[in-house]
Amino acid sequence: MPIGLDEIKSRLRKFATVEAAGVSPLYEHLAAQAAEDDDVAGLLTDARGGDGEARGTLLMATAHRLIQADPIHPLSRYYPSVGGFDGVDSETWPLFRSFLLERADKARAIISSRYTQTNEVRRAALLYPAVTAAAKEAGGKIALLEVGCSAGLLLGLDKYGYRYQCDGGEQLTAGPAKTAVGLHCALDLAPGAVTPKVPKKLTITARAGLDRAPVDLADEDELAWLEACVWADQPDRIRLLRTAAAAQGKQRPELIAGDAVDDLASAAATLPADAPLVVLTSHVLAYLGERRADFLEALRKLAADRPLWWVSEEFYAAALEPLVPGRTDLAEPADQAVLGLVRWDAGVPDVRALARTAPHGQRMTWLPARS
């Protein structure tokens, strides 16, 4: 069912005030203005996949892709990704609005044919402690399946180097000593929490990704769209994406086109049945909408057939709330997600909320264990 304009504008406001605020001055400003503009917000009515894709991230990525193709337009001076260096001012929104509406047909073509593809490499630093915890419980070696994998860059998390900067100056390091991709993450402790033990090594014996539209990094247009989905005033994230993409090109994992719910079991079946399975999701469940419960049920059924751990880095309401309702401590602050580790025992989920996480991998707060 097509989404209404009022709902789109509400989502744009939320994107500006919750997701972009304090993180991206450019996107915070543009989304807030777009939320009050019927013509610009209305472009999202053409989003594919029901109402799940009609979000600020898709509008910003569409504009970013168009400015990539026209980097000499005056709007480019606000886009560091194409060499701009100006901050937001009184001309930013008028230029953005005219630029986008003058290319409304191209914008609608992108919006109606693309999904938001967010391969945030830095999230690997958030996920690594949970995946290694699952691997330890599994006996060491695991198979890894990422749902909503995009280009599959998080599937290479065992090949990245990690440096966690703790309160008080302590540093935790993990991963290979020599690696092209080095990730830094601030790690602090919630009251009552203790510093996690982060294993130096993770052994993944087989890996695969499942996505409704996997990204082929050998295709320049696909790579350009992946870069467009990175926020334009954060060029360091684009550089890291390119580095990880180049590293993955030497040994690309299998990426399967399919549905997160309907094709979960068949995707898992491509991995060795005797290998403990870790299923990974990162900011995916928000796009499943009403099918989130179906995804949890599909995981439960899969866990009945083989040892399975689910590592999630998602907002509480999107992922863990149905399994552990009433955890208001996990719902706030609203701009932070939750790192979760779930295993099913005879159909009953054992749920652990390990940390609160910043959306782009820059920080996490480790939580105390709960009985």
Side-chain angles (χ1 to χ4, degrees):
M1 179 182 297
I3 187 172
L5 182 60
D6 287 344
E7 174 62 20
I8 290 174
K9 293 167 73 173
S10 175
R11 291 183 180 186
L12 287 167
R13 290 187 195 98
K14 183 177 180 180
F15 175 79
T17 59
V18 175
E19 297 181 54
V23 178
S24 171
L26 176 64
Y27 281 14
E28 179 183 4
H29 174 71
L30 295 177
Q33 295 293 326
E36 308 306 323
D37 190 299
D38 288 0
D39 292 333
V40 174
L43 295 171
L44 284 173
T45 58
D46 285 344
R48 65 191 296 191
D51 67 358
E53 283 296 315
R55 297 177 180 273
T57 46
L58 181 58
L59 182 67
M60 296 300 120
T62 297
H64 195 185
R65 183 68 189 95
L66 292 172
I67 202 69
Q68 285 176 335
D70 190 4
I72 63 172
H73 189 278
L75 179 63
S76 67
R77 72 176 191 259
Y78 301 104
Y79 278 69
S81 60
V82 292
F85 51 83
D86 283 6
V88 171
D89 59 28
S90 61
E91 295 183 21
T92 310
W93 170 250
L95 277 171
F96 179 88
R97 185 180 191 277
S98 62
F99 174 82
L100 204 53
L101 294 180
E102 286 167 4
R103 295 158 180 79
D105 289 344
K106 292 181 179 180
R108 290 184 183 279
I110 293 172
I111 288 168
S112 65
S113 63
R114 290 287 191 179
Y115 294 111
T116 304
Q117 296 283 3
T118 308
N119 237 186
E120 177 51 75
V121 181
R122 291 190 300 183
R123 287 181 188 152
L126 306 175
L127 298 162
Y128 184 84
V131 175
T132 53
K136 182 179 180 180
E137 294 176 12
K141 299 178 180 180
I142 60 167
L144 185 64
L145 173 64
E146 184 187 2
V147 178
C149 65
S150 187
L153 297 180
L154 292 179
L155 288 167
L157 57 78
D158 57 324
K159 301 173 183 177
Y160 303 154
Y162 302 95
R163 186 176 299 275
Y164 298 93
Q165 183 67 49
C166 305
D167 287 346
E170 180 186 3
Q171 286 191 348
L172 305 178
T173 59
K178 295 182 179 180
T179 176
V181 180
L183 303 174
H184 298 259
C185 179
L187 172 63
D188 54 26
L189 303 178
V194 297
T195 303
K197 295 182 179 179
V198 183
K200 298 288 187 181
K201 183 180 179 182
L202 172 65
T203 302
I204 300 175
T205 58
R207 69 196 80 205
L210 174 65
D211 196 282
R212 55 192 170 183
V215 174
D216 180 5
L217 292 175
D219 185 319
E220 288 296 327
D221 188 55
E222 292 292 297
L223 180 57
W225 173 245
L226 197 62
E227 292 180 358
C229 290
V230 178
W231 295 9
D233 52 358
Q234 299 174 357
D236 57 321
R237 292 174 57 199
I238 296 179
R239 288 191 291 269
L240 185 59
L241 169 64
R242 290 172 179 166
T243 301
Q248 190 208 70
K250 300 174 183 178
Q251 190 176 4
R252 291 178 181 159
E254 180 181 7
L255 304 182
I256 301 163
D259 181 79
V261 176
D262 299 337
D263 299 306
L264 179 64
S266 60
T270 66
L271 299 169
D274 58 350
L277 178 63
V278 174
V279 175
L280 182 68
T281 66
S282 176
H283 291 266
V284 171
L285 269 66
Y287 295 94
L288 295 184
E290 296 178 355
R291 302 193 72 203
R292 294 171 197 161
D294 296 333
F295 178 72
L296 295 178
E297 177 62 14
L299 283 175
R300 187 192 66 80
K301 290 181 178 178
L302 193 57
D305 297 329
R306 63 188 299 175
L308 181 146
W309 288 257
W310 174 34
V311 172
S312 63
E313 200 264 319
E314 308 274 355
F315 288 108
Y316 168 67
L320 296 186
E321 185 175 29
L323 301 178
V324 282
R327 288 288 302 272
T328 56
D329 59 309
L330 301 180
E332 297 293 338
D335 62 343
Q336 292 188 4
V338 179
L339 178 65
L341 179 59
V342 182
R343 188 182 183 190
W344 280 262
D345 183 9
V348 179
D350 173 25
V351 183
R352 282 162 283 177
L354 301 180
R356 289 193 300 268
T357 59
H360 298 133
Q362 63 270 39
R363 173 179 291 275
M364 66 175 153
T365 300
W366 205 257
L367 301 174
R370 288 176 58 135
S371 58

